[in-house]
Amino acid sequence: MRWMQAATVIDDPVGPYRSVERRGRKVHGTDGRDPGCWVLANMVSGLDGSVAVGGRVGALSSPTDAELFRTLRSVADVVLVGAETVRREKYGPVRLPDGLRAERAAAGRAAVPRLAIVSRSLQLDWDAPVFTEADPASATIVVTCAAAPRAQLDEAGRHAVVLLAGDERVEPRAALAALAGLGSEVVLCEGGPTLLGELVAADLLDELCLTIEPVMGGDPLPVAITPASAALVRHRIAHVLVDGDTIFLRYEREDR
Ligand SMILES: NC(=O)c1ccc[n+]([C@@H]2O[C@H](COP(=O)([O-])OP(=O)(O)OC[C@H]3O[C@@H](n4cnc5c(N)ncnc54)[C@H](OP(=O)(O)O)[C@@H]3O)[C@@H](O)[C@H]2O)c1
């Protein structure tokens, strides 16, 4: 047991996240199969573990957490998100400040990461900016399964890059392998809890960035919802940062 006391003051609160080496990092699941990309998740919760207030995340996030949100997007090749989060948060295409776009371009990467939406129902608004305003080099991806409604599947093909990854449902490992096949080395999952729980249950999450805001009383919706049969997955702490009363935790899967 150690006291965590105020220690080194850092000028750049997101620097410790940017400096993590994720590209080309060897990743083996416990079953020895490698989806071919590093998978990190970024979530913010209250002290009670709630990740939404009135169905939205906005009330939970602080300015530093918002900066972290942008920073983690800037290190990713793909932002993976569940359809319910897209519907509730009215997701748009990924946008980054000019400085971060230029940094990515200088490193030979697309100016912004692509958004990849996981959905079986394909109940998505095809006229929304998330499809119509995406950077042409980073067109929005829809990851779905063979059981998706035929008419919706045809519609999806007119507005997005469609990846089929599974029969009755999207198989997380197949989805990540398909994204890796498009050249994605770093996949950032922005939730929601259902999608994140699927990645955890399949033992595919390499890194979790979890911001704890000093509030209680949000929706009864935890950071991740895993199926009842899922095994416990252990992580080790990589860093703890404190900004005011907010705690920034970064964990990596124990064997990474
Ligand atoms: N605090 C945070 O950091 C944070 C982050 C993200 C979201 N949130 C909050 O979380 C809530 C939404 O989360 P949620 O857990 O309800 O939903 P979600 O994970 O965003 O999306 C669930 C949906 O994704 C699709 N999906 C997920 N896994 C699938 C699979 N294996 N195969 C096929 N489709 C799959 C399905 O879409 P279809 O229904 O279209 O088939 C499913 O209904 C919102 O209130 C949002 O504000 C909070």
Side-chain angles (χ1 to χ4, degrees):
M1 183 76 82
R2 283 174 293 153
W3 279 106
M4 297 233 352
Q5 292 180 328
T8 318
V9 174
I10 52 172
D11 295 330
D12 176 8
V14 293
Y17 293 89
R18 284 161 63 88
S19 60
V20 177
E21 188 48 66
R22 300 180 176 94
R23 273 168 207 283
R25 197 153 160 188
K26 201 82 188 135
V27 182
H28 291 294
T30 46
D31 59 3
R33 286 188 294 157
D34 181 354
C37 48
W38 181 263
V39 183
L40 75 150
N42 181 30
M43 298 292 287
V44 57
S45 87
L47 295 173
D48 49 9
S50 169
V51 296
V53 179
R56 300 288 301 270
V57 67
L60 286 172
S61 189
S62 61
T64 308
D65 181 60
E67 189 182 351
L68 175 60
F69 183 82
R70 283 189 297 275
T71 298
L72 291 177
R73 285 184 154 195
S74 78
V75 305
D77 298 313
V78 169
V79 173
L80 185 68
V81 66
E84 189 59 23
T85 295
V86 171
R87 290 187 284 255
R88 284 185 184 258
E89 302 286 347
K90 304 209 182 328
Y91 253 56
V94 178
R95 301 191 201 283
L96 289 175
D98 287 347
L100 291 175
R101 291 174 64 99
E103 251 179 50
R104 290 174 59 101
R109 295 159 53 211
V112 291
R114 302 175 83 154
L115 191 70
I117 304 168
V118 179
S119 173
R120 175 185 150 134
S121 75
L122 297 179
Q123 291 296 323
L124 297 163
D125 178 359
W126 306 112
D127 296 323
V130 70
F131 298 110
T132 59
E133 292 178 14
D135 205 300
S138 302
T140 298
I141 297 169
V142 170
V143 188
T144 189
C145 52
R150 189 73 244 173
Q152 286 291 80
L153 203 50
D154 292 343
E155 191 69 18
R158 286 191 275 278
H159 303 275
V161 175
V162 177
L163 298 179
L164 279 183
D167 294 329
E168 287 304 311
R169 59 189 279 276
V170 171
E171 296 293 339
R173 190 175 298 274
L176 291 170
L179 293 172
L182 294 180
S184 309
E185 284 186 78
V186 178
V187 175
L188 166 65
C189 175
E190 290 186 342
T194 303
L195 177 61
L196 180 55
E198 300 244 2
L199 297 179
V200 172
D203 194 15
L204 289 164
L205 186 68
D206 300 304
E207 176 184 359
L208 173 67
C209 300
L210 179 62
T211 300
I212 312 268
E213 295 288 353
V215 296
M216 295 181 84
D219 301 346
L221 189 65
V223 170
I225 301 169
T226 43
S229 57
L232 272 185
V233 182
R234 191 162 289 279
H235 289 72
R236 63 179 177 76
I237 200 146
H239 78 218
V240 181
L241 302 173
V242 181
D243 179 48
D245 295 317
T246 302
I247 300 178
F248 293 83
L249 300 168
R250 195 176 79 76
Y251 286 90
E252 288 188 7
R253 177 82 169 77
E254 199 171 41
D255 56 359
R256 301 299 189 248

